[in-house]
Amino acid sequence: MKRRSLLFTVLFLLTHFVLTAQNSGKGPDAVLGRYWTPTKNAKIEIYKEGAKYYGKTVWTERSGVDTLNPDPRKRNQSLLGLVFLTNFTYDDGKYVDGQIYDPQNGNIYSCKMWLEPDGDLKARGYIGISLFGRTEVFEKIEE
């Protein structure tokens, strides 16, 4: 009887912690939503396809095309709808193994992201190792 009671208690606690984490927005999908870019001249949306996370531009202050894209075939694509965060996977509170494209210089960098307690998203783009990189803050838009 004690064994059954202990098993029930453990299962109850595990279920409670899982549901609490999901409901508090701390799970992997907590990153989904809209954010201001660091310069506040555009809004981005983080979305999920399969098990991977992506980010695209959903509003910009000014229209334009991606003239600096290293791929000449993509230089006429609109900056609106541009997917610039690609292939992130969730691992222990961080979104890793992704890439960030900078349309201001046409460069693609390795990138990792994480959520701050206030809901803002930090993205660190780097070449090689993350020690040599830059971190930008994307402010969460409460809708």
Side-chain angles (χ1 to χ4, degrees):
M1 186 68 175
K2 284 184 179 184
R3 194 174 212 171
R4 185 182 292 185
S5 178
L6 178 62
L7 179 63
F8 176 76
T9 302
V10 169
L11 288 175
F12 173 78
L13 289 174
L14 284 174
T15 303
H16 172 73
F17 287 125
V18 168
L19 291 175
T20 301
Q22 288 174 348
N23 292 335
S24 67
K26 300 292 184 199
D29 290 348
V31 72
L32 301 177
R34 292 188 176 199
Y35 299 81
W36 284 106
T37 58
T39 56
K40 295 216 167 88
N41 63 353
K43 293 178 185 179
I44 67 164
E45 181 174 357
I46 304 295
Y47 61 98
K48 187 176 182 180
E49 286 185 7
K52 298 210 177 198
Y53 296 87
Y54 298 84
K56 67 180 175 182
T57 309
V58 293
W59 176 86
T60 64
E61 212 170 55
R62 61 181 182 88
S63 61
V65 293
D66 190 15
T67 58
L68 297 176
N69 197 302
D71 183 345
R73 298 171 300 190
K74 295 182 178 180
R75 291 183 183 151
N76 288 324
Q77 71 183 353
S78 174
L79 292 174
L80 183 62
L82 178 71
V83 178
F84 69 98
L85 294 167
T86 57
N87 296 318
F88 288 86
T89 56
Y90 183 78
D91 183 26
D92 195 27
K94 292 190 178 182
Y95 303 86
V96 297
D97 299 329
Q99 293 184 316
I100 187 167
Y101 169 68
D102 186 348
Q104 293 182 350
N105 62 25
N107 291 330
I108 298 171
Y109 303 97
S110 296
C111 187
K112 64 181 177 180
M113 306 184 303
W114 63 95
L115 284 173
E116 292 292 303
D118 62 3
D120 290 347
L121 177 66
K122 285 194 173 179
R124 182 158 186 83
Y126 56 93
I127 297 173
I129 60 172
S130 67
L131 179 64
F132 303 112
R134 183 177 80 213
T135 302
E136 296 285 352
V137 178
F138 295 83
E139 183 183 326
K140 179 77 169 173
I141 298 172
E142 298 301 329
E143 297 179 297

